[in-house]
Protein backbone atom coordinates (compact mmCIF):
# COMPACT_ATOMS: atom_id res chain seq x y z
CA UNK A 1 0.00 0.00 0.00
CA UNK A 2 0.97 3.62 -0.34
CA UNK A 3 1.84 4.33 3.27
CA UNK A 4 0.44 6.68 5.95
CA UNK A 5 0.31 10.05 4.26
CA UNK A 6 -3.03 11.65 3.51
CA UNK A 7 -4.06 12.20 -0.10
CA UNK A 8 -5.85 15.39 -1.07
CA UNK A 9 -8.41 14.80 -3.82
CA UNK A 10 -9.56 18.01 -5.48
CA UNK A 11 -12.72 17.29 -7.46
CA UNK A 12 -15.77 19.61 -7.45
CA UNK A 13 -18.07 16.95 -8.91
CA UNK A 14 -19.31 14.70 -6.11
CA UNK A 15 -19.95 11.69 -8.34
CA UNK A 16 -16.50 11.85 -9.89
CA UNK A 17 -14.91 12.22 -6.45
CA UNK A 18 -16.76 9.16 -5.16
CA UNK A 19 -15.43 7.12 -8.09
CA UNK A 20 -11.81 8.17 -7.55
CA UNK A 21 -11.59 8.12 -3.76
CA UNK A 22 -11.63 4.29 -3.31
CA UNK A 23 -8.45 4.06 -5.39
CA UNK A 24 -6.51 6.47 -3.16
CA UNK A 25 -6.18 4.42 0.01
CA UNK A 26 -7.80 4.85 3.40
CA UNK A 27 -6.72 8.41 4.22
CA UNK A 28 -8.30 10.70 1.61
CA UNK A 29 -9.32 14.30 2.14
CA UNK A 30 -11.77 15.45 -0.54
CA UNK A 31 -11.87 19.16 -1.34
CA UNK A 32 -13.96 20.92 -3.97
CA UNK A 33 -11.58 23.69 -4.98
CA UNK A 34 -7.89 24.33 -5.48
CA UNK A 35 -8.08 27.06 -2.86
CA UNK A 36 -9.21 24.46 -0.34
CA UNK A 37 -6.39 22.17 -1.50
CA UNK A 38 -3.91 24.98 -0.86
CA UNK A 39 -5.27 25.44 2.67
CA UNK A 40 -5.06 21.69 3.34
CA UNK A 41 -1.42 21.62 2.23
CA UNK A 42 -0.60 24.58 4.46
CA UNK A 43 -2.39 23.03 7.46
CA UNK A 44 -0.62 19.68 7.36
CA UNK A 45 2.91 19.48 5.90
CA UNK A 46 2.61 15.67 5.88
CA UNK A 47 0.08 15.89 3.09
CA UNK A 48 2.32 15.63 0.07
CA UNK A 49 0.08 14.04 -2.57
CA UNK A 50 -2.61 15.96 -4.45
CA UNK A 51 -4.88 14.38 -7.06
CA UNK A 52 -6.68 16.91 -9.27
CA UNK A 53 -9.82 15.57 -10.93
CA UNK A 54 -11.12 16.37 -14.39
CA UNK A 55 -13.76 18.67 -12.90
CA UNK A 56 -11.04 21.27 -12.34
CA UNK A 57 -10.20 23.45 -15.34
CA UNK A 58 -6.85 22.54 -16.88
CA UNK A 59 -5.51 26.10 -16.78
CA UNK A 60 -6.33 26.41 -13.08
CA UNK A 61 -4.73 23.04 -12.35
CA UNK A 62 -1.52 24.02 -14.16
CA UNK A 63 -1.37 27.36 -12.33
CA UNK A 64 -1.90 25.59 -8.98
CA UNK A 65 0.83 23.06 -9.77
CA UNK A 66 3.33 25.76 -10.73
CA UNK A 67 2.62 27.58 -7.45
CA UNK A 68 2.95 24.40 -5.37
CA UNK A 69 6.22 23.42 -7.05
CA UNK A 70 7.65 26.78 -5.95
CA UNK A 71 6.17 26.99 -2.45
CA UNK A 72 5.83 23.37 -1.33
CA UNK A 73 8.74 21.48 -2.79
CA UNK A 74 8.31 17.73 -2.56
CA UNK A 75 4.56 17.71 -3.14
CA UNK A 76 3.46 15.14 -5.71
CA UNK A 77 0.60 16.07 -8.05
CA UNK A 78 -1.45 13.71 -10.20
CA UNK A 79 -3.70 15.25 -12.86
CA UNK A 80 -6.75 13.40 -14.19
CA UNK A 81 -8.13 14.46 -17.59
CA UNK A 82 -10.87 13.18 -19.88
CA UNK A 83 -8.41 13.39 -22.80
CA UNK A 84 -4.61 13.43 -22.76
CA UNK A 85 -2.40 14.69 -25.58
CA UNK A 86 1.26 15.61 -26.01
CA UNK A 87 0.61 19.34 -25.60
CA UNK A 88 -1.09 18.80 -22.24
CA UNK A 89 1.71 16.47 -21.12
CA UNK A 90 4.35 19.05 -21.98
CA UNK A 91 2.56 21.86 -20.15
CA UNK A 92 1.76 19.66 -17.16
CA UNK A 93 5.34 18.53 -16.67
CA UNK A 94 6.58 22.11 -17.10
CA UNK A 95 4.23 23.07 -14.25
CA UNK A 96 5.67 20.39 -11.98
CA UNK A 97 2.96 17.73 -12.24
CA UNK A 98 4.39 14.23 -11.84
CA UNK A 99 1.69 12.13 -13.51
CA UNK A 100 -1.15 12.71 -16.00
CA UNK A 101 -3.79 10.01 -16.41
CA UNK A 102 -7.05 9.58 -18.33
CA UNK A 103 -10.05 9.87 -16.01
CA UNK A 104 -11.17 6.28 -16.60
CA UNK A 105 -7.77 4.81 -15.65
CA UNK A 106 -8.60 4.50 -11.96
CA UNK A 107 -6.51 1.37 -11.39
CA UNK A 108 -3.56 3.19 -12.98
CA UNK A 109 -4.23 6.03 -10.53
CA UNK A 110 -3.84 3.61 -7.61
CA UNK A 111 -0.57 2.32 -9.07
CA UNK A 112 0.73 5.85 -9.66
CA UNK A 113 0.01 6.85 -6.06
CA UNK A 114 1.73 3.71 -4.80
CA UNK A 115 4.77 4.47 -6.94
CA UNK A 116 4.96 8.10 -5.83
CA UNK A 117 4.71 7.06 -2.17
CA UNK A 118 7.46 4.48 -2.66
CA UNK A 119 9.70 7.08 -4.27
CA UNK A 120 9.68 8.97 -0.96
CA UNK A 121 11.18 6.01 0.90
CA UNK A 122 14.92 5.24 0.80
CA UNK A 123 15.65 3.06 -2.18
CA UNK A 124 16.91 -0.46 -1.53
CA UNK A 125 20.15 -1.54 -3.11
CA UNK A 126 19.48 -3.04 -6.55
CA UNK A 127 19.91 -6.83 -6.71
CA UNK A 128 23.12 -7.99 -8.31
CA UNK A 129 22.76 -10.48 -11.16
CA UNK A 130 24.22 -13.89 -10.49
CA UNK A 131 26.91 -15.45 -12.66
CA UNK A 132 24.33 -17.51 -14.54
CA UNK A 133 21.97 -14.60 -15.37
CA UNK A 134 20.80 -14.89 -18.95
CA UNK A 135 21.60 -11.97 -21.23
CA UNK A 136 18.60 -10.01 -22.46
CA UNK A 137 17.80 -9.52 -26.09
CA UNK A 138 17.67 -5.98 -27.43
CA UNK A 139 14.18 -4.46 -27.61
CA UNK A 140 13.67 -1.84 -30.32
CA UNK A 141 10.52 0.30 -30.26
CA UNK A 142 9.64 1.81 -33.64
CA UNK A 143 7.62 5.00 -33.21
CA UNK A 144 6.04 7.58 -35.51
CA UNK A 145 4.58 10.84 -34.25
CA UNK A 146 2.24 10.97 -37.23
CA UNK A 147 0.49 8.29 -39.28
CA UNK A 148 1.46 7.60 -42.87
CA UNK A 149 5.23 7.72 -42.35
CA UNK A 150 5.83 4.09 -43.32
CA UNK A 151 6.48 2.95 -39.75
CA UNK A 152 5.12 -0.58 -40.11
CA UNK A 153 6.94 -1.20 -43.39
CA UNK A 154 10.17 0.02 -41.79
CA UNK A 155 9.64 -2.16 -38.71
CA UNK A 156 9.06 -5.26 -40.85
CA UNK A 157 12.14 -4.65 -42.97
CA UNK A 158 14.24 -3.78 -39.91
CA UNK A 159 13.24 -7.08 -38.29
CA UNK A 160 14.26 -8.94 -41.44
CA UNK A 161 17.55 -7.04 -41.64
CA UNK A 162 18.35 -8.00 -38.02
CA UNK A 163 17.29 -11.57 -38.74
CA UNK A 164 20.20 -11.78 -41.22
CA UNK A 165 18.67 -14.54 -43.31
CA UNK A 166 17.74 -16.67 -40.31
CA UNK A 167 21.06 -16.49 -38.45
CA UNK A 168 19.67 -14.32 -35.63
CA UNK A 169 16.47 -14.93 -33.66
CA UNK A 170 14.09 -11.97 -33.98
CA UNK A 171 10.51 -11.39 -32.85
CA UNK A 172 8.36 -8.69 -34.46
CA UNK A 173 5.58 -7.49 -32.13
CA UNK A 174 2.55 -5.64 -33.53
CA UNK A 175 1.54 -3.36 -30.65
CA UNK A 176 -0.78 -1.28 -32.82
CA UNK A 177 -3.63 -3.16 -31.21
CA UNK A 178 -6.51 -1.42 -32.97
CA UNK A 179 -5.13 -0.96 -36.48
CA UNK A 180 -2.14 -3.29 -36.70
CA UNK A 181 -0.99 -4.10 -40.23
CA UNK A 182 1.81 -6.61 -39.68
CA UNK A 183 -0.43 -9.61 -40.38
CA UNK A 184 -1.92 -8.14 -43.56
CA UNK A 185 1.46 -6.82 -44.76
CA UNK A 186 2.98 -10.30 -44.46
CA UNK A 187 -0.24 -12.20 -45.34
CA UNK A 188 -0.21 -14.12 -42.09
CA UNK A 189 -3.28 -15.91 -40.78
CA UNK A 190 -4.28 -14.43 -37.43
CA UNK A 191 -4.81 -17.53 -35.32
CA UNK A 192 -3.11 -16.27 -32.13
CA UNK A 193 -2.47 -12.74 -30.90
CA UNK A 194 -1.25 -10.79 -27.90
CA UNK A 195 -4.77 -11.22 -26.52
CA UNK A 196 -3.84 -14.86 -25.78
CA UNK A 197 -1.18 -13.81 -23.26
CA UNK A 198 -1.90 -14.84 -19.68
CA UNK A 199 -2.18 -11.67 -17.55
CA UNK A 200 -0.79 -11.24 -14.07
CA UNK A 201 2.32 -13.42 -14.23
CA UNK A 202 5.63 -13.78 -16.00
CA UNK A 203 5.21 -15.59 -19.30
CA UNK A 204 6.99 -18.90 -19.74
CA UNK A 205 8.65 -20.27 -22.85
CA UNK A 206 5.50 -22.34 -23.46
CA UNK A 207 3.33 -19.22 -23.13
CA UNK A 208 5.41 -17.42 -25.75
CA UNK A 209 5.30 -20.41 -28.09
CA UNK A 210 1.51 -20.22 -27.92
CA UNK A 211 1.57 -16.52 -28.89
CA UNK A 212 3.94 -16.37 -31.85
CA UNK A 213 3.34 -16.89 -35.55
CA UNK A 214 6.40 -17.87 -37.57
CA UNK A 215 7.01 -15.88 -40.75
CA UNK A 216 10.55 -16.77 -41.71
CA UNK A 217 13.26 -19.02 -40.22
CA UNK A 218 14.35 -17.31 -37.05
CA UNK A 219 11.71 -14.59 -37.38
CA UNK A 220 8.51 -14.91 -35.35
CA UNK A 221 5.67 -12.42 -35.01
CA UNK A 222 3.20 -11.58 -32.28
CA UNK A 223 0.17 -10.22 -34.07
CA UNK A 224 -2.39 -7.63 -33.04
CA UNK A 225 -5.96 -8.79 -32.32
CA UNK A 226 -8.48 -8.26 -35.09
CA UNK A 227 -11.89 -8.74 -33.44
CA UNK A 228 -14.10 -5.80 -32.41
CA UNK A 229 -13.26 -4.61 -28.91
CA UNK A 230 -10.38 -7.07 -28.49
CA UNK A 231 -7.69 -4.37 -28.41
CA UNK A 232 -9.14 -2.92 -25.21
CA UNK A 233 -8.69 -6.27 -23.46
CA UNK A 234 -4.89 -6.20 -23.83
CA UNK A 235 -3.56 -4.24 -20.86
CA UNK A 236 -0.25 -2.34 -20.83
CA UNK A 237 0.92 -4.71 -18.08
CA UNK A 238 0.43 -7.70 -20.39
CA UNK A 239 2.39 -5.94 -23.14
CA UNK A 240 5.24 -5.23 -20.73
CA UNK A 241 5.28 -8.81 -19.42
CA UNK A 242 5.35 -10.18 -22.96
CA UNK A 243 8.26 -7.95 -24.01
CA UNK A 244 10.29 -8.87 -20.94
CA UNK A 245 9.67 -12.56 -21.60
CA UNK A 246 10.60 -12.21 -25.28
CA UNK A 247 13.89 -10.60 -24.29
CA UNK A 248 14.92 -13.90 -22.70
CA UNK A 249 14.25 -15.90 -25.87
CA UNK A 250 15.20 -13.69 -28.82
CA UNK A 251 18.27 -11.69 -29.80
CA UNK A 252 16.15 -8.78 -31.01
CA UNK A 253 12.54 -7.76 -30.45
CA UNK A 254 11.19 -5.12 -32.86
CA UNK A 255 8.00 -3.45 -31.61
CA UNK A 256 5.71 -1.69 -34.09
CA UNK A 257 3.75 0.88 -32.06
CA UNK A 258 0.68 2.95 -32.96
CA UNK A 259 1.16 6.53 -34.20
CA UNK A 260 -0.14 8.06 -30.97
CA UNK A 261 0.92 8.14 -27.35
CA UNK A 262 -0.90 5.60 -25.18
CA UNK A 263 -0.19 3.50 -22.12
CA UNK A 264 0.77 0.60 -24.41
CA UNK A 265 3.29 2.82 -26.23
CA UNK A 266 4.72 3.93 -22.89
CA UNK A 267 5.03 0.28 -21.85
CA UNK A 268 7.03 -0.39 -25.02
CA UNK A 269 9.17 2.72 -24.55
CA UNK A 270 9.81 1.87 -20.90
CA UNK A 271 10.89 -1.67 -21.78
CA UNK A 272 12.88 -0.89 -24.93
CA UNK A 273 16.63 -0.47 -25.15
CA UNK A 274 16.38 1.65 -28.30
CA UNK A 275 13.74 4.01 -29.70
CA UNK A 276 13.58 4.50 -33.47
CA UNK A 277 11.48 7.50 -34.48
CA UNK A 278 10.25 7.53 -38.08
CA UNK A 279 9.32 10.69 -39.96
CA UNK A 280 9.08 11.92 -43.55
CA UNK A 281 10.45 15.14 -45.07
CA UNK A 282 7.22 17.08 -44.64
CA UNK A 283 6.79 20.03 -42.29
CA UNK A 284 3.73 18.69 -40.38
CA UNK A 285 5.43 15.32 -39.81
CA UNK A 286 8.67 16.90 -38.61
CA UNK A 287 6.82 19.28 -36.29
CA UNK A 288 4.95 16.30 -34.83
CA UNK A 289 8.31 14.58 -34.41
CA UNK A 290 9.64 17.61 -32.52
CA UNK A 291 6.68 17.54 -30.13
CA UNK A 292 7.20 13.81 -29.55
CA UNK A 293 10.89 14.36 -28.81
CA UNK A 294 9.93 17.01 -26.26
CA UNK A 295 7.60 14.55 -24.55
CA UNK A 296 10.27 11.82 -24.51
CA UNK A 297 12.70 14.28 -22.93
CA UNK A 298 10.14 15.26 -20.31
CA UNK A 299 9.51 11.62 -19.51
CA UNK A 300 13.21 11.09 -18.90
CA UNK A 301 14.11 8.71 -21.73
CA UNK A 302 17.81 8.68 -22.56
CA UNK A 303 18.70 10.54 -25.76
CA UNK A 304 21.62 8.23 -26.46
CA UNK A 305 19.14 5.36 -26.91
CA UNK A 306 17.23 7.23 -29.60
CA UNK A 307 17.56 7.29 -33.40
CA UNK A 308 15.63 9.42 -35.90
CA UNK A 309 15.06 7.97 -39.37
CA UNK A 310 13.76 10.07 -42.26
CA UNK A 311 11.77 7.86 -44.60
CA UNK A 312 11.06 8.53 -48.30
CA UNK A 313 13.87 11.02 -48.79
CA UNK A 314 13.89 12.46 -52.30
CA UNK A 315 16.32 15.03 -53.78
CA UNK A 316 13.35 16.65 -55.52
CA UNK A 317 11.71 17.44 -52.16
CA UNK A 318 12.39 20.99 -50.99
CA UNK A 319 12.78 19.95 -47.34
CA UNK A 320 16.40 18.79 -47.19
CA UNK A 321 18.11 16.63 -44.58
CA UNK A 322 19.58 19.75 -43.01
CA UNK A 323 16.12 21.35 -42.92
CA UNK A 324 14.76 18.30 -41.12
CA UNK A 325 17.54 18.38 -38.54
CA UNK A 326 16.94 22.09 -37.97
CA UNK A 327 13.19 21.66 -37.50
CA UNK A 328 13.59 18.58 -35.30
CA UNK A 329 16.54 20.13 -33.41
CA UNK A 330 18.09 16.64 -33.40
CA UNK A 331 20.57 14.75 -35.57
CA UNK A 332 19.28 12.28 -38.14
CA UNK A 333 20.60 8.73 -37.84
CA UNK A 334 19.23 7.27 -41.07
CA UNK A 335 17.75 8.18 -44.44
CA UNK A 336 15.58 5.76 -46.41
CA UNK A 337 15.22 6.77 -50.08
CA UNK A 338 11.87 7.19 -51.76
CA UNK A 339 10.93 4.39 -54.15
CA UNK A 340 7.74 3.27 -55.85
CA UNK A 341 9.02 -0.28 -55.29
CA UNK A 342 8.07 0.01 -51.61
CA UNK A 343 4.27 0.14 -52.08
CA UNK A 344 4.62 -2.56 -54.73
CA UNK A 345 6.45 -4.77 -52.23
CA UNK A 346 3.69 -4.16 -49.67
CA UNK A 347 0.99 -5.15 -52.15
CA UNK A 348 2.90 -8.33 -52.99
CA UNK A 349 3.67 -9.08 -49.30
CA UNK A 350 7.34 -9.28 -50.26
CA UNK A 351 9.49 -7.03 -48.01
CA UNK A 352 12.32 -5.50 -50.00
CA UNK A 353 15.07 -6.51 -47.55
CA UNK A 354 14.53 -10.15 -48.51
CA UNK A 355 12.90 -9.82 -51.95
CA UNK A 356 15.51 -7.37 -53.30
CA UNK A 357 18.48 -7.27 -50.91
CA UNK A 358 20.50 -5.01 -53.26
CA UNK A 359 17.72 -2.43 -53.57
CA UNK A 360 18.73 1.05 -52.28
CA UNK A 361 15.97 0.90 -49.66
CA UNK A 362 17.18 -2.51 -48.46
CA UNK A 363 20.76 -1.31 -48.27
CA UNK A 364 19.75 1.80 -46.32
CA UNK A 365 17.80 -0.21 -43.75
CA UNK A 366 20.60 -2.75 -43.30
CA UNK A 367 23.13 0.07 -42.95
CA UNK A 368 20.99 1.68 -40.26
CA UNK A 369 20.61 -1.66 -38.46
CA UNK A 370 24.38 -2.21 -38.46
CA UNK A 371 25.21 1.32 -37.34
CA UNK A 372 22.57 1.89 -34.68
CA UNK A 373 21.12 -1.45 -33.56
CA UNK A 374 23.77 -4.07 -34.31
CA UNK A 375 23.86 -7.38 -36.16
CA UNK A 376 24.79 -10.86 -35.13
CA UNK A 377 24.32 -11.85 -31.50
CA UNK A 378 22.53 -9.17 -29.52
CA UNK A 379 24.56 -7.02 -27.14
CA UNK A 380 23.86 -7.46 -23.46
CA UNK A 381 22.20 -4.49 -21.77
CA UNK A 382 24.80 -2.26 -20.15
CA UNK A 383 25.11 -2.76 -16.36
CA UNK A 384 23.75 0.12 -14.33
CA UNK A 385 21.40 1.35 -17.06
CA UNK A 386 18.01 -0.14 -16.18
CA UNK A 387 14.94 0.14 -18.34
CA UNK A 388 12.50 2.75 -17.12
CA UNK A 389 9.52 1.19 -15.38
CA UNK A 390 6.70 3.69 -15.25
CA UNK A 391 2.95 3.12 -15.23
CA UNK A 392 0.95 5.97 -16.66
CA UNK A 393 1.91 9.32 -18.16
CA UNK A 394 4.68 10.13 -15.72
CA UNK A 395 7.87 12.06 -15.53
Amino acid sequence: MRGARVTILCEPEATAASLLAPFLGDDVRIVVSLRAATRALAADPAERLVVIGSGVRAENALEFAAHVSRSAAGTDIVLMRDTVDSDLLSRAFDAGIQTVLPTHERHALAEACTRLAASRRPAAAPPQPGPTAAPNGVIVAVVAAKGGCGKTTFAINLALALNAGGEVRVCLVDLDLEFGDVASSLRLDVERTLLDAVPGRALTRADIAALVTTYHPGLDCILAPVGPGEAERVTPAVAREALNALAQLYDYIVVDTPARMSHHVLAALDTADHHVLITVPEVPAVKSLRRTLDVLDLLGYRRESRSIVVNRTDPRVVLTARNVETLARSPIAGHIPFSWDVPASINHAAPLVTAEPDHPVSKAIRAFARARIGTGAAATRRPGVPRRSVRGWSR
Side-chain angles (χ1 to χ4, degrees), residues 80-171:
M80 309 296 290
R81 294 288 95 181
D82 292 336
T83 59
V84 178
D85 56 33
S86 59
D87 178 65
L88 174 64
L89 284 174
S90 178
R91 296 171 64 205
F93 295 148
D94 283 344
I97 293 172
Q98 278 67 42
T99 302
V100 183
L101 289 167
T103 303
H104 66 277
E105 290 275 2
R106 292 187 285 273
H107 288 287
L109 172 63
E111 292 180 22
C113 293
T114 300
R115 186 181 68 252
L116 290 170
S119 70
R120 297 297 175 193
R121 298 194 290 268
Q128 298 300 314
T132 59
N136 285 337
V138 175
I139 301 177
V140 182
V142 181
V143 180
K146 196 173 183 64
C149 292
K151 170 184 55 63
T152 297
T153 300
F154 178 86
I156 290 171
N157 281 278
L158 176 63
L160 285 164
L162 293 170
N163 175 245
E167 295 180 7
V168 181
R169 287 190 55 77
V170 178
C171 187

Side-chain angles (χ1 to χ4, degrees), residues 204-283:
T204 66
R205 185 182 295 268
D207 293 331
I208 294 299
L211 290 180
V212 301
T213 299
T214 299
Y215 170 70
H216 188 278
L219 176 58
D220 293 332
C221 301
I222 293 185
L223 306 175
V226 294
E230 289 184 343
E232 299 176 1
R233 295 164 54 193
V234 180
T235 68
V238 165
R240 183 180 287 108
E241 290 160 6
L243 292 177
N244 283 325
L246 291 168
Q248 305 302 317
L249 302 176
Y250 293 86
D251 296 312
Y252 295 97
I253 302 91
V254 177
V255 187
D256 182 28
T257 67
R260 57 181 172 78
M261 278 291 181
S262 68
H263 290 298
H264 295 85
V265 174
L266 285 179
L269 294 173
D270 288 347
T271 312
D273 303 285
H274 203 96
H275 303 158
V276 180
L277 291 95
I278 308 296
T279 190
V280 291
E282 300 170 5
V283 171

Side-chain angles (χ1 to χ4, degrees), residues 7-357:
T7 298
I8 300 172
L9 170 60
C10 182
E11 174 53 73
E13 299 291 338
T15 301
S18 67
L19 291 173
L20 293 175
F23 294 87
L24 300 176
D26 296 328
D27 298 320
V28 183
R29 177 178 298 186
I30 301 175
V31 297
V32 297
S33 70
L34 292 172
R35 181 173 296 181
T38 302
R39 289 197 298 267
L41 278 174
D44 189 349
E47 296 179 354
R48 286 294 183 236
L49 176 62
V50 181
V51 176
I52 304 176
S54 56
V56 178
R57 291 182 62 242
E59 295 301 327
N60 294 343
L62 296 176
E63 184 178 348
F64 168 84
H67 171 74
V68 168
S69 66
R70 294 191 299 268
S71 61
T75 300
D76 293 324
I77 301 176
V78 178
L79 179 63
M80 309 296 290
R81 294 288 95 181
D82 292 336
T83 59
V84 178
D85 56 33
S86 59
D87 178 65
L88 174 64
L89 284 174
S90 178
R91 296 171 64 205
F93 295 148
D94 283 344
I97 293 172
Q98 278 67 42
T99 302
V100 183
L101 289 167
T103 303
H104 66 277
E105 290 275 2
R106 292 187 285 273
H107 288 287
L109 172 63
E111 292 180 22
C113 293
T114 300
R115 186 181 68 252
L116 290 170
S119 70
R120 297 297 175 193
R121 298 194 290 268
Q128 298 300 314
T132 59
N136 285 337
V138 175
I139 301 177
V140 182
V142 181
V143 180
K146 196 173 183 64
C149 292
K151 170 184 55 63
T152 297
T153 300
F154 178 86
I156 290 171
N157 281 278
L158 176 63
L160 285 164
L162 293 170
N163 175 245
E167 295 180 7
V168 181
R169 287 190 55 77
V170 178
C171 187
L172 173 62
V173 179
D174 192 347
L175 204 59
D176 192 347
L177 300 174
E178 293 182 287
F179 305 106
D181 288 328
V182 168
S184 58
S185 296
L186 298 177
R187 293 186 185 170
L188 294 173
D189 293 330
V190 184
E191 297 178 353
R192 56 188 71 90
T193 73
L194 195 55
L195 185 62
D196 297 310
V198 179
R201 66 175 175 83
L203 301 182
T204 66
R205 185 182 295 268
D207 293 331
I208 294 299
L211 290 180
V212 301
T213 299
T214 299
Y215 170 70
H216 188 278
L219 176 58
D220 293 332
C221 301
I222 293 185
L223 306 175
V226 294
E230 289 184 343
E232 299 176 1
R233 295 164 54 193
V234 180
T235 68
V238 165
R240 183 180 287 108
E241 290 160 6
L243 292 177
N244 283 325
L246 291 168
Q248 305 302 317
L249 302 176
Y250 293 86
D251 296 312
Y252 295 97
I253 302 91
V254 177
V255 187
D256 182 28
T257 67
R260 57 181 172 78
M261 278 291 181
S262 68
H263 290 298
H264 295 85
V265 174
L266 285 179
L269 294 173
D270 288 347
T271 312
D273 303 285
H274 203 96
H275 303 158
V276 180
L277 291 95
I278 308 296
T279 190
V280 291
E282 300 170 5
V283 171
V286 179
K287 286 188 174 180
S288 294
L289 167 67
R290 181 61 259 169
R291 288 194 293 269
T292 300
L293 293 171
D294 290 340
V295 170
L296 296 184
D297 287 340
L298 287 165
L299 294 176
Y301 294 111
R302 295 178 294 124
R303 293 187 180 187
E304 59 267 29
S305 298
R306 184 185 306 167
S307 296
I308 298 173
V309 173
V310 181
N311 196 19
R312 304 179 195 142
T313 58
D314 190 331
R316 297 170 296 180
V317 175
V318 175
L319 201 63
T320 65
R322 179 167 295 183
N323 294 148
V324 173
E325 288 192 339
T326 300
L327 284 170
R329 302 199 301 275
S330 293
I332 306 303
H335 298 270
I336 311 301
F338 172 84
S339 173
W340 288 112
D341 294 330
V342 173
S345 72
I346 296 171
N347 291 334
H348 289 92
L352 282 177
V353 162
T354 50
E356 298 185 50

